[in-house]
Amino acid sequence: MRNPSVLLAPLAMLFATGCTDYMSQALPAPESDEQALAFAIDRFAVDLYTAADKEEDGNAVISPYSVSSALGMAHPGARGTTATQMADVLHLTLAQEISPRIYGALTERIVARNQLDPALLSPDEDLQLVLRIENSAWLQESVTWEPAYLDALTEDFGAEQFDVNYDQAEAVEGQINGWVDERTEGMIPELIPEGTLGNAVRLVLVNAIYFWGSWAEPFEEADTEDHTFHKKGSGTVEVPMMAGERDRFLRGSNFKAIELPFAHSSLSMIVVLPDSGQFGAVEKALSAGGLYHIAQDMESRPVDILLPRFTIDNSYLLGETLFNHLVGMIAMLVTGIVPAAVATLIAAVVMVLGGCLSMSQSYRAISWQSVVLIAAMIPMSTALAVTGGAELLAGALVDSFGSVG
């Protein structure tokens, strides 16, 4: 049985997909806590895509694993209604005290299964396989933090911890951006735009993912030619298309799907192509269960494919996206009703598919993703101490309000 993951492509989801018959199928009952978390991330991925799609007119490339991880690091510090609503939005069925350990275990297993062993390579193989998933926490130095929360960040999420002073917000922005820049090999040099942070910030949580993989069956540069690409809605454009024959194929009632494995890796990219005129129908029917069963039901059947070679560079302000479309986050993200805490998510994703690095090297897929969760404490009267977002850091701070300014 295929190991259930979070439908990573790679660790980002390419949503040009869906199918009414497959999408009506439910996920199976999880067989372990790790599988339960993987399924939760699958469900969250569909919600996140649906939310982002309502605000993005162009291509949507999102890393649900990054976003879920950043929110997952905040969840152990939340209490009351906020903790419950965060669990609902993230589809977490595990107890709050257990989920950090499972996040850590799942991440460790994914990374461990996708490291290149030079002993497995033949002398003439020129392959790349790099996968890093790293976390960090940037904590206001004047605040007293709960030891149990700091332990969860370090021991479960493997997060590096940095004591900083948000009175010097510009300098902290530079430190965080430098950390992300280093871990994404220079592909995301500025995750946090200048002026984003301020002296009300108490905590910034960052997840960074770097993936660089070679296809198990490389696309040859000589076979890449311009072909017509049909845009969503109407219109066409000529784009370079990689060509080849692959043997992992599935035919649905109104879509075709292929699986493209990466060399010496448990990861693969699944591409779902709606039939002509069916994009809206398959997108509307998108479901975690459907995507799971598409991955499980791939057949060994040769098929000729043309795959666009592309680069996508996206960034999202997910605080607004989640607030507008995921009702369960309201207590966490309230900005209008005397909030005690305001959380903002910023996500940046760069994905290169089929970039030719040199004449002698195979086409490859490269992906960098990083997400930051910013939690700020806003001064308020003690009479409102239990209102809404005050619960976001209630379990993380010894003094839930700390000192501002």
Side-chain angles (χ1 to χ4, degrees):
M1 175 178 173
R2 181 187 302 274
N3 175 46
S5 66
V6 286
L7 298 175
L8 311 174
L11 297 176
M13 301 206 65
L14 290 162
F15 287 107
T17 75
C19 178
T20 51
D21 58 350
Y22 268 88
M23 296 308 169
S24 65
Q25 298 186 55
L27 286 165
E31 298 177 357
S32 67
D33 287 343
E34 286 185 28
Q35 191 177 60
L37 178 58
F39 287 170
I41 298 173
D42 288 346
R43 293 185 176 101
F44 175 70
V46 174
D47 292 346
L48 187 61
Y49 168 70
T50 302
D53 186 53
K54 292 179 181 180
E55 297 184 359
E56 296 291 326
D57 294 329
N59 298 309
V61 180
I62 306 171
S63 175
Y65 199 94
S66 267
V67 179
S68 180
S69 294
L71 290 171
M73 283 191 286
H75 185 233
R79 291 294 182 268
T81 302
T82 298
T84 300
Q85 291 179 334
M86 289 185 72
D88 289 344
V89 168
L90 294 171
H91 296 274
L92 296 178
T93 57
L94 303 170
Q96 188 179 19
E97 62 272 17
I98 294 176
S99 62
R101 175 172 56 82
I102 306 305
Y103 265 107
L106 181 61
T107 297
E108 286 183 10
R109 185 155 66 89
I110 292 172
V111 172
R113 287 167 57 89
N114 293 281
Q115 300 301 313
L116 190 61
D117 183 354
L120 299 177
L121 300 180
S122 61
D124 59 342
E125 280 188 296
D126 178 23
L127 299 178
Q128 294 287 342
L129 178 62
V130 180
L131 174 61
R132 294 196 295 268
I133 304 175
E134 300 185 68
N135 298 310
S136 62
W138 305 76
L139 305 114
Q140 172 61 29
E141 61 185 10
S142 63
V143 168
T144 302
W145 297 90
E146 286 287 357
Y149 180 67
L150 298 182
D151 288 345
L153 290 177
T154 302
E155 296 174 11
D156 297 324
F157 290 96
E160 294 183 76
Q161 294 183 18
F162 301 91
D163 292 324
V164 295
N165 181 5
Y166 288 105
D167 286 335
Q168 302 172 8
E170 184 177 349
V172 180
E173 288 171 350
Q175 289 177 268
I176 296 173
N177 286 334
W179 186 91
V180 173
D181 181 55
E182 180 179 346
R183 273 124 187 104
T184 60
E185 303 290 341
M187 297 308 299
I188 302 179
E190 187 181 77
L191 175 64
I192 301 179
E194 183 178 351
T196 299
L197 304 181
N199 66 358
V201 173
R202 288 295 169 267
L203 173 65
V204 171
L205 299 170
V206 183
N207 172 269
I209 297 176
Y210 178 85
F211 175 80
W212 184 358
S214 300
W215 302 115
E217 296 181 68
F219 292 92
E220 299 298 333
E221 183 181 11
D223 295 332
T224 297
E225 298 178 350
D226 286 349
H227 290 271
T228 300
F229 181 85
H230 295 267
K231 300 167 67 176
K232 179 181 178 181
S234 61
T236 61
V237 61
E238 293 296 307
V239 299
M241 296 263 196
M242 302 180 292
E245 181 182 286
R246 298 295 182 269
D247 60 1
R248 298 287 294 167
F249 178 78
L250 182 70
R251 185 67 170 102
S253 63
N254 59 354
F255 73 90
K256 304 179 187 72
I258 58 169
E259 181 178 12
L260 303 174
F262 292 98
H264 300 285
S265 171
S266 66
L267 299 179
S268 63
M269 184 174 76
I270 294 176
V271 180
V272 181
L273 176 66
D275 294 341
S276 179
Q278 293 295 306
F279 187 96
V282 297
E283 185 179 50
K284 184 178 180 180
L286 192 69
S287 75
L291 293 171
Y292 171 86
H293 287 286
I294 288 172
Q296 295 292 310
D297 293 350
M298 284 286 170
E299 302 171 357
S300 295
R301 175 181 168 186
V303 60
D304 292 324
I305 66 170
L306 291 173
L307 188 67
R309 196 178 74 200
F310 63 82
T311 299
I312 298 177
D313 185 346
N314 275 116
S315 63
Y316 303 92
L317 182 61
L318 292 175
E320 181 179 358
T321 294
L322 290 172
F323 177 74
N324 287 341
H325 302 297
L326 300 180
V327 178
M329 278 300 223
I330 287 179
M332 178 180 171
L333 299 179
V334 286
T335 56
I337 309 176
V338 289
V342 177
T344 299
L345 274 166
I346 300 173
V349 177
V350 179
M351 185 170 186
V352 179
L353 180 63
C356 184
L357 302 182
S358 74
M359 295 294 290
S360 63
Q361 292 176 311
S362 306
Y363 288 105
R364 295 169 178 174
I366 313 171
S367 181
W368 307 267
Q369 300 102 38
S370 191
V371 172
V372 59
L373 171 63
I374 304 166
M377 304 305 294
I378 307 300
M380 57 185 296
S381 71
T382 56
L384 299 174
V386 295
T387 301
E391 298 169 334
L392 174 58
L393 297 179
L397 300 172
V398 172
D399 172 2
S400 294
F401 302 102
S403 58
V404 177

